[in-house]
């Protein structure tokens, strides 16, 4: 079986754990998944946590992409207005086999229109702002993560780990996912519909 | 108040989340903590998850260091035998105000002798190997994280997030720590002595 490629979108002021939570989960399955980092223009991408990552250009992503991972973070407030980036996200999300968003990453995906009439969630602390970026999306305020067609969207930050484990569970079985949660000693919220941090 | 410096130790095949879990917690307190990455020789440090980080040299760490963070990961199996690295860890851990280890990072710290007669923990899935690196350490098999003097040691991978929140709680109050856990939507194990993943 060939390794399945995961392209992680980066932009300045991405949220650290939105990226590295799922990267931990998929990354340790080194025989199955291969993780790489991309940004609109390539080069070093930084955030306010002191993290800097060297990225390739989004245009270099191959069309046989398995998973496109879109993190959130403060940078999304600016990037939702970046038409070049949103257009590129739409193009890649369209050919990618699966699209996974973490936290306010769903606001970026919502801006493409691809989430219209689909169920999605986001960070419960930024929910009203996220909704404003996709008024035709069926926003779920109580899910830890959602699945609709090929789109997985998770709640805030840590919930990206739960969603990644949920993705693994759907593809490789729940016992396999539980084994990973056990190895990384993570208290996985197995029920995607039951978020401790649900919005009012 | 001056920003408190956190030096994160890196070595090839460090565990992704051991590093970026605590970096998420401390990094978002950008007015209080400042995070930087170091390795023995500096340069790009990689792991099998596809992560690559540019690091400065350990010898460049200033002696007024606040926090020295030591992650675990498969690379520790090799690095416990790296006398140059262990000596450097000992030197830095001695002058650092606090030392925090995640997962098998406690095996590296144990090799310096600084944990002798102190309480510590580690990844519960690698406990016997960790113990073999510090036979005079009081290893705790049931803690999510431990505190002894200036040494904080956490259990496996995700537990680094719980420990970082515990550190924040001790320094800034539990409500402040709970607020961060809430913001990153993390189900924090507040009781350090009660690990879901405790060893048999």
């Amino acid at each position: 079986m060939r390794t399945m490629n995961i392209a992680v979108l980066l932009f300045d002021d991405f949220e650290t754990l939105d990226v590295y939570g799922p990267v931990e989960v998929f990354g340790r399955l080194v025989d199955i998944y291969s993780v790489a980092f991309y940004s609109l223009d390539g080069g070093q991408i930084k955030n306010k946590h002191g993290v800097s990552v060297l990225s390739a250009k989004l245009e270099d992503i191959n069309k046989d992409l398995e998973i496109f991972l879109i993190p959130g973070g403060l940078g999304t407030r600016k990037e939702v207005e970046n038409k070049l980036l949103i257009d590129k996200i739409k193009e890649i999300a369209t050919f990618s086999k699966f699209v996974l968003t973490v936290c306010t990453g769903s606001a970026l995906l919502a801006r493409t229109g691809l989430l219209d009439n689909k169920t999605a969630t986001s960070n419960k602390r930024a929910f009203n702002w996220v909704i404003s970026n996709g008024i035709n999306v069926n926003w779920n305020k109580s899910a830890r993560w959602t699945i609709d067609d090929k789109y997985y969207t998770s709640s805030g930050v840590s919930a990206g780990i739960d969603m990644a484990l949920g993705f693994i569970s759907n593809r490789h079985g729940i016992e396999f996912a539980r084994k990973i949660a056990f190895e990384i000693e993570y208290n996985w919220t197995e029920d995607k519909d039951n978020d401790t941090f649900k919005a009012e």
Side-chain angles (χ1 to χ4, degrees), chain A:
Chain A
M1 192 167 69
R2 78 171 180 89
T3 307
M4 292 184 271
N5 293 318
I6 302 179
V8 180
L9 173 69
L10 294 178
F11 43 82
D12 281 335
D13 290 330
F14 69 89
E15 190 76 23
T16 302
L17 196 55
D18 289 15
V19 167
Y20 292 105
V23 165
E24 169 72 37
V25 172
F26 290 114
R28 55 192 301 128
L29 299 171
V30 69
D31 295 330
I32 307 178
Y33 297 100
S34 175
V35 177
F37 300 91
Y38 298 89
S39 66
L40 190 57
D41 300 317
Q44 288 288 342
I45 301 294
K46 298 182 180 189
N47 73 15
K48 291 191 172 61
H49 300 171
V51 176
S52 179
V53 190
L54 186 62
S55 62
K57 290 185 181 184
L58 284 175
E59 66 189 38
D60 294 335
I61 295 177
N62 284 326
K63 290 213 161 42
D64 62 350
L65 183 66
E66 191 77 16
I67 298 172
F68 187 36
L69 178 73
I70 305 173
L74 284 175
T76 59
R77 306 289 173 135
K78 180 180 166 194
E79 301 299 347
V80 290
E81 307 295 345
N82 183 345
K83 191 175 179 315
L84 274 176
L85 179 65
I86 299 298
D87 286 351
K88 202 72 194 164
I89 289 173
K90 184 171 184 175
E91 179 193 336
I92 296 162
T94 299
F95 66 66
S96 183
K97 194 164 176 185
F98 294 96
V99 182
L100 279 57
T101 72
V102 182
C103 198
T104 50
S106 55
L108 293 172
L109 185 60
R111 280 284 181 136
T112 66
L114 292 171
L115 284 180
D116 283 0
N117 305 310
K118 296 199 185 303
T119 297
T121 194
S122 191
N123 187 312
K124 302 310 192 301
R125 315 278 80 76
F127 221 76
N128 288 338
W129 175 77
V130 172
I131 286 174
S132 73
N133 287 284
I135 56 170
N136 297 316
V137 178
N138 301 325
W139 293 106
N140 182 328
K141 290 185 174 183
S142 59
R144 186 72 170 161
W145 76 94
T146 65
I147 310 169
D148 193 337
D149 188 24
K150 71 179 191 180
Y151 299 99
Y152 282 63
T153 70
S154 93
S155 191
V157 197
S158 309
I161 302 173
D162 301 82
M163 176 187 69
L165 290 166
F167 183 89
I168 296 291
S169 175
N170 285 352
R171 301 200 81 191
H172 310 281
I174 193 162
E175 288 308 325
F176 191 75
R178 282 177 179 157
K179 182 171 172 288
I180 296 168
F182 186 74
E183 284 171 3
I184 65 170
E185 299 191 355
Y186 184 69
N187 288 301
W188 179 28
T189 300
E190 290 189 8
D191 178 2
K192 69 180 172 54
D193 298 319
N194 190 7
D195 189 8
T196 314
F197 303 93
K198 62 188 173 189
E200 296 304 313

